[in-house]
Amino acid sequence: MNKTVLITGATAGIGKATAELLAQHKFNLIICGRRKDRLVSMQKALETFANVHIGSFDIRDKEAVSKFVASLPIPFSKIDVLINNAGNAHGLDEIHEGSTDDWEAMIDINVKGLLYMSRAVSPQMVERKSGHIINIGSIAGKEPYMKGNVYCGSKHAVDAINHGMRMDLFKYGVKVSQICPGLVNTEFSDVRFKGDHSKSEAVYQGMTPLKAEDIAEIIHFVITRPKHVNISDTIVLPLDQAASTMVHRQ
Ligand code: NAP
């Protein structure tokens, strides 16, 4: 039987590219995000290849997350793979000038949202003694960078949660893996700079960033390893980036 994969943050960037790739490989897909119009058109496009169920909710809403998972229709209710991908950076400011609204968004989405979804999905994996949770971390969760204070903090939290989750779940046969990208050209910088394209374009100027599809291919590789193999963590950088703050530009 085809495996069922739930992807959070599937309306754009890495999550969308992953949904598109996994649909081609015939996984059953549950795609989530707030923008319902995008989910509906993705469902239409991907149903040529795979079975697709959509979930439009804000991952900060604990009740909405647990209600959605508890009420999945039978063909989608057994989740084999959870991809905790929803997340963003909001703002880029020195700590004394940061917006507390931005800080709350990052902690509530990147950390608490990931926890709510994991709490809702992991019990069925433990009960079945199989499953795989993929957490999308970041190079920012390995090394902080200037003005990235709270985003880096949220991704360091993902790094620790990923490690801790694996310690809790491995004895139940549940794999836990983290993928930590460097610069990927998605809507990420547009969100960070609140739609200011001149600022978001500057992030990738003079260098070749990763594409969302590059990360999707790695996710596909990680979830298709044999049962005894768990790729616990990976850092994936563009060639033009050697560390979170070291980018070679032409
Ligand atoms: P993106 O293109 O902006 O996509 C972000 C996704 O997260 C969207 O589908 C968005 O959907 C969803 N999302 C955001 N807030 C949400 C909320 N409150 N509730 C539900 N869904 C929400 O960014 P991306 O680059 O693909 O980012 C995906 C992941 O990769 C994030 O965890 C990010 O931190 C990580 N990452 C990105 C980079 C990079 O350079 N791009 C590098 C390292 C790590 P809706 O807006 O429709 O809700």
Side-chain angles (χ1 to χ4, degrees):
M1 213 172 77
N2 295 347
K3 285 190 170 178
T4 298
V5 182
L6 188 157
I7 307 172
T8 68
T11 58
I14 294 168
K16 182 168 189 277
T18 303
E20 288 167 352
L21 182 66
L22 297 188
Q24 284 164 29
H25 288 278
K26 311 279 179 220
F27 285 86
N28 297 322
L29 294 177
I30 305 165
I31 53 174
C32 306
R34 287 165 301 179
R35 286 170 286 183
K36 192 169 181 189
D37 53 334
R38 290 196 183 195
L39 292 170
V40 169
S41 60
M42 281 178 71
Q43 183 181 35
K44 268 190 202 142
L46 300 183
E47 270 180 344
T48 322
F49 309 101
N51 299 316
V52 182
H53 182 71
I54 65 173
S56 169
F57 53 86
D58 190 322
I59 203 146
R60 286 173 285 197
D61 182 343
K62 186 168 38 176
E63 304 304 322
V65 171
S66 58
K67 222 162 137 185
F68 176 74
V69 172
S71 60
L72 283 167
I74 299 270
F76 294 93
S77 59
K78 174 181 162 288
I79 298 163
D80 298 289
V81 182
L82 164 63
I83 304 177
N84 279 320
N85 165 74
N88 276 116
H90 294 265
L92 185 71
D93 302 287
E94 290 181 357
I95 198 77
H96 64 290
E97 293 175 337
S99 146
T100 53
D101 287 346
D102 284 346
W103 296 353
E104 275 161 16
M106 290 184 279
I107 290 173
D108 290 352
I109 300 166
N110 303 356
V111 183
K112 289 163 72 180
L114 177 148
L115 287 170
Y116 298 155
M117 188 52 86
S118 303
R119 183 64 183 84
V121 173
S122 56
Q124 55 158 283
M125 293 180 168
V126 168
E127 197 178 325
R128 288 196 311 270
K129 300 216 167 358
S130 87
H132 198 162
I133 299 176
I134 309 277
N135 295 308
I136 305 301
S138 172
I139 185 69
K142 303 289 185 182
E143 329 157 19
Y145 51 85
M146 278 190 301
K147 300 185 179 179
N149 38 61
V150 177
Y151 177 67
C152 296
S154 74
K155 289 297 181 177
H156 272 71
V158 172
D159 191 49
I161 290 165
N162 178 70
H163 203 155
M165 261 191 200
R166 189 167 48 254
M167 290 170 159
D168 293 341
L169 298 181
F170 83 110
K171 59 183 178 290
Y172 302 111
V174 178
K175 296 185 191 182
V176 179
S177 307
Q178 178 177 232
I179 296 167
C180 297
L183 290 168
V184 192
N185 195 353
T186 62
E187 293 176 12
F188 181 85
S189 292
D190 281 331
V191 173
R192 163 165 260 168
F193 297 114
K194 306 176 198 317
D196 182 337
H197 292 299
S198 59
K199 282 189 182 165
S200 52
E201 275 165 20
V203 174
Y204 312 111
Q205 209 151 28
M207 57 88 62
T208 306
L210 296 169
K211 298 188 298 260
E213 291 75 11
D214 298 323
I215 303 301
E217 283 178 5
I218 289 159
I219 293 173
H220 177 247
F221 180 80
V222 169
I223 66 174
T224 52
R225 291 313 83 211
K227 173 103 179 106
H228 66 289
V229 179
N230 181 31
I231 298 177
S232 57
D233 206 351
T234 63
I235 296 177
V236 189
L237 300 175
L239 175 60
D240 286 338
Q241 182 177 22
S244 73
T245 53
M246 197 181 289
V247 178
H248 177 68
R249 298 182 196 273
Q250 299 298 332

